[in-house]
Amino acid sequence: MAPESGPAGLPAPTEVLEAARAELAATERALADIRRVRADRVDDDEHDPEGSPLSAEWARLDGLHRAAARRVAAAEAAVAHAASGRYGICQRCGGPIAAGRLEALPAAVRCVRCA
Ligand SMILES: [Zn+2]
């Protein structure tokens, strides 16, 4: 087992980081697509009787993008934490992080009490 792997059955922080980075890249691509469509249409949102579908989609993707960026940052911290041999150990109190918590939040670096 690689030193950075989590306990059996739990995803390793490196896997969580990979997934978070893939999601971040996907939302970046989607935002770039909207930017291109907007540039082609010269901004006609104001005259669109349907409202502003592009603006709404942009807001939705921007929210996903920000959430993905936060997950990448959290996963990076978890990978660094695991690299120092403290996977599953609370960063604050040094106590064990419950397996159920790691299952739900593989990038958790603090126990429930310290979160
Ligand atoms: Zn703690």
Side-chain angles (χ1 to χ4, degrees):
M1 207 203 292
E4 71 271 22
S5 306
L10 296 179
T14 46
E15 287 169 32
V16 177
L17 179 58
E18 240 169 76
R21 278 185 176 151
E23 200 180 325
L24 185 65
T27 56
E28 265 163 19
R29 275 195 301 275
L31 285 171
D33 282 348
I34 289 189
R35 228 176 260 130
R36 262 196 303 279
V37 173
R38 274 184 167 173
D40 288 348
R41 299 190 347 167
V42 188
D43 201 350
D44 65 355
D45 278 358
E46 277 178 57
H47 310 289
D48 191 338
E50 304 280 303
S52 310
L54 275 183
S55 298
E57 181 64 359
W58 176 274
R60 190 184 72 85
L61 286 169
D62 191 52
L64 289 178
H65 183 253
R66 283 164 203 266
R70 275 195 299 273
R71 273 201 291 280
V72 166
E76 277 171 352
V79 167
H81 189 67
S84 66
R86 298 173 60 79
Y87 182 79
I89 305 291
C90 176
Q91 200 176 42
R92 189 152 170 261
C93 72
I97 301 173
R101 176 166 167 76
L102 285 171
E103 219 169 300
L105 288 169
V109 293
R110 287 186 178 189
C111 72
V112 177
R113 277 180 304 158
C114 299

